[in-house]
Amino acid sequence: MDEAIGRDRTVAVVGTGTMGQGIAQVALVAGHPVRLYDSAPGRAAEAVAAIGARLDRLVEKGRLDAAAREAAAGRLHAAEDPSELADAALVVEAIVEDLAVKQRLFADLEKVVRDDALLATNTSSLSVTAIAGGLRLPGRFVGLHFFNPAPLLPLVEVVRGFATEETAVTRAYATVEAWGKTPVRCADTPGFIVNRIARPFYAEAFRVYEEGGADPATIDAALRECGGFRMGPFELTDLIGQDVNEAVTRSVWESFFQDPKFTPSLAQRRLVESGRLGRKSGHGWYPYAEGARRPEPHTAEPAPAPGRITVEGDLGPARELIALAREAGIAVDETEEDRGTRILLPGGGQLVLADGQTSVEFRDVVYFDLALDYRTATRAVLSASGTTSRETVREAIGLFQALGKKVSVIGDVPGMIVARTVAMLIDLAADAVAKGVASAEDIDTAMRLGVNYPVGPVEWSGRLGPAWAHELLDELHARVPTGRYAPSLALYRRTYAEMDGA
Ligand code: NAI
């Protein structure tokens, strides 16, 4: 019962738009007979033709042999009526994202399919439990959340609804794994894994922008060139569509009863209202018209390198800077003095790793942002305030330039850009693990494969040390006490458990 569904068994796909076609192609290439049904007349037949054309392209590119393509085509059929899905061992639904419509569809399907058929929804934002709520046999109902384009992206979130039986989860998991996908298990919570944990990647960037801390191009460059992310949040949401991205954010926020950790962005709201939806409308955060110039990130003019610096205490995640400075010919004195961790510049100013405090609270402090890897990062991000002398800012710029980095200077943003984004991702991941949403390993897999993160948040947290995100969020929470930055109970527990164990 909990083994993968046999390849000779029929897979039905209901709703043959973007996702339905992709999922059908995956099941078909894996060897199943596939039956397609769509309520719009003619749509299923069009999908059969579209999938056939896609298989032809795979043959042309040498990724599928011609005989396999012919055999696949012989296994793919459009159904005129749901009654033709009666022998399906698995039905995957990918219709319109509307709870009542999905509930009605499954109530009808349950009258047609056998009692041992597995039923699955590809919903990205509705409760799997709610879709199955009225079913006679909700135990065989799971979420199978594929990512677009389904034939190319390996991740599938296998979602266990409140009434889902373990055997159904195991069977669905084994089936998509046999299709060559990388499944992860997760509980039925808003946004599942990826759409829940990824929220701050967008939201923190939008907040820094709303606070006047930096412009979109600089924030994108910080997350890409310093944080190691494949794309920045502004360019990525332009690609996804601002309306689509905002709808996910709002849905997760509403589903969590307006938890401030998930509050949407007013700036993004206005963007959507103005019709600037991203690439598809020719304008989003950035312009996309023919010949439109993409704004450049702020990059500081060349400044002289300091000849000598002093490092006080342990730089922690930024320790590599010591070796980099020495390799660049800068003399580095190290002292164990316990006045906090900092780099002292020749003019007496200080350089401190982003910790959630603001520069204006101190005399002559420049903050620098967290990097995924200080050696390979091509950009360093600094933040200064009115209490920072120009000389200190110039020395800090010169130091990072001497290490071969471009340098961006942003406003006095507590937690800066990369550090506060990563701290929030770590917090949400720790919270999700503690609440049984998914295992730490599955969360990391989902974030790497679903949204291309350079490392999963749990692994990143391990690299930074147990207390790092907790301490940064504590400081941020003290300055922005909306609840958004309050460290989760999971982070508190982990910090104190590790301190105890140490
Ligand atoms: P789509 O609009 O491309 O296709 C939906 C299809 O369902 C249409 O062909 C429509 O005629 C058909 N349909 C609507 N009501 C129906 C009914 N009652 N019975 C049978 N067919 C019906 O939509 P898309 O983008 O493929 O999304 C489908 C589902 O997949 C939604 O639940 C969506 O949230 C989810 N999803 C979408 C992703 C995406 O990137 N587009 C990614 C992951 C999940």
Side-chain angles (χ1 to χ4, degrees):
M1 180 65 180
D2 52 4
E3 307 225 311
I5 291 167
R7 306 221 171 198
D8 55 331
R9 305 290 311 279
T10 298
V11 171
V13 176
V14 180
T16 60
T18 311
M19 293 308 293
Q21 288 185 23
I23 296 164
Q25 183 182 329
V26 172
L28 187 67
V29 171
H32 293 274
V34 174
R35 208 149 301 160
L36 304 179
Y37 174 72
D38 196 289
S39 58
R43 192 72 61 81
E46 283 167 28
V48 168
I51 294 168
R54 240 171 272 135
L55 295 182
D56 284 339
R57 280 203 293 281
L58 290 180
V59 173
E60 281 161 27
K61 289 184 190 158
R63 293 206 211 125
L64 187 72
D65 71 60
R69 186 247 176 266
E70 281 317 302
R75 294 194 302 269
L76 180 62
H77 299 286
E80 302 275 322
D81 187 273
S83 64
E84 294 169 48
L85 311 181
D87 64 344
L90 165 64
V91 183
V92 185
E93 164 273 314
I95 67 168
V96 60
E97 188 77 335
D98 179 308
L99 179 60
V101 180
K102 286 193 198 277
Q103 285 172 328
R104 215 161 32 240
L105 171 77
F106 280 107
D108 292 342
L109 281 173
E110 207 177 30
K111 294 181 199 135
V112 171
V113 298
R114 292 162 32 162
D115 279 1
D116 63 353
L118 206 55
L119 301 179
T121 175
N122 184 49
T123 183
S124 40
S125 61
L126 300 172
S127 151
V128 169
T129 306
I131 298 173
L135 293 184
R136 180 170 54 84
L137 297 172
R140 39 94 171 251
F141 192 91
V142 295
L144 278 181
H145 186 221
F146 287 79
F147 289 72
N148 186 24
L152 293 182
L153 294 185
L155 186 69
V156 181
E157 293 174 328
V158 181
V159 186
R160 185 180 63 244
F162 196 74
T164 307
E165 284 161 12
E166 180 57 25
T167 49
V169 174
T170 318
R171 206 154 149 242
Y173 185 101
T175 301
V176 293
E177 195 171 42
W179 293 356
K181 295 294 173 192
T182 306
V184 289
R185 288 167 180 260
C186 66
D188 184 18
T189 63
F192 309 135
I193 300 176
V194 172
N195 280 339
R196 169 187 181 137
I197 292 174
R199 299 308 353 124
F201 179 71
Y202 312 106
E204 290 308 317
F206 298 164
R207 276 164 181 262
V208 171
Y209 166 72
E210 285 169 2
E211 290 158 15
D215 57 84
T218 303
I219 298 170
D220 274 354
L223 283 153
R224 259 193 340 260
E225 299 168 34
C226 183
F229 289 91
R230 196 76 61 85
M231 288 178 92
F234 294 89
E235 53 193 348
L236 181 55
T237 51
D238 267 358
L239 188 66
I240 295 169
Q242 298 303 334
D243 50 341
V244 173
N245 178 262
E246 198 217 16
V248 176
T249 301
R250 288 170 76 98
S251 150
V252 171
W253 174 64
E254 294 288 1
S255 303
F256 276 119
F257 309 113
Q258 307 193 346
D259 183 333
K261 295 225 176 205
F262 297 99
T263 307
S265 149
L266 195 53
Q268 190 181 34
R269 182 87 285 269
R270 292 287 177 267
L271 203 64
V272 173
E273 287 170 347
S274 73
R276 292 189 172 183
L277 304 181
R279 282 174 186 265
K280 63 185 174 187
S281 71
H283 207 305
W285 294 108
Y286 300 115
Y288 295 95
E290 249 330 278
R293 272 192 42 228
R294 176 83 172 257
E296 294 288 328
H298 172 268
T299 302
E301 293 297 323
R308 175 178 290 273
I309 57 173
T310 303
V311 173
E312 279 189 4
D314 183 353
L315 285 184
R319 218 169 286 132
E320 183 72 3
L321 288 176
I322 298 173
L324 290 174
R326 288 193 173 126
E327 286 165 31
I330 297 169
V332 182
D333 300 319
E334 290 183 71
T335 75
E336 306 245 317
E337 270 191 63
D338 202 12
R339 271 178 293 169
T341 297
R342 55 190 185 160
I343 297 172
L344 292 180
L345 296 164
Q350 309 170 42
L351 198 49
V352 180
L353 176 61
D355 60 4
Q357 304 187 77
T358 55
S359 159
V360 74
E361 297 165 53
F362 304 96
R363 199 187 57 78
D364 220 10
V365 163
V366 171
Y367 275 103
F368 65 97
D369 210 346
L370 180 72
L372 172 64
D373 178 343
Y374 284 97
R375 186 166 284 277
T376 55
T378 54
R379 184 174 295 272
V381 183
L382 306 177
S383 101
S385 68
T387 60
T388 322
S389 71
R390 287 183 57 185
E391 184 53 22
T392 295
V393 177
R394 259 169 68 81
E395 284 181 348
I397 292 170
L399 172 63
F400 280 99
Q401 286 174 338
L403 310 187
K405 319 291 182 200
K406 291 184 198 123
V407 178
S408 295
V409 182
I410 66 168
D412 188 14
V413 176
M416 302 192 66
I417 299 170
V418 181
R420 88 190 215 179
T421 301
V422 171
M424 285 293 278
L425 294 173
I426 288 173
D427 182 57
L428 290 196
D431 177 59
V433 173
K435 289 180 177 153
V437 173
S439 69
E441 195 186 8
D442 276 356
I443 287 177
D444 276 2
T445 301
M447 302 316 286
R448 280 191 295 100
L449 299 183
V451 269
N452 265 322
Y453 285 4
V455 279
V458 181
E459 187 190 334
W460 212 332
S461 173
R463 290 186 191 181
L464 294 167
W468 181 85
H470 180 190
E471 285 171 1
L472 187 139
L473 290 175
D474 241 359
E475 295 290 0
L476 258 172
H477 178 53
R479 284 153 188 82
V480 189
T482 57
R484 177 177 182 83
Y485 299 106
S488 66
L489 196 53
L491 272 196
Y492 269 107
R493 288 210 168 104
R494 208 179 53 195
T495 304
Y496 290 107
E498 298 268 344
M499 274 166 43
D500 205 32

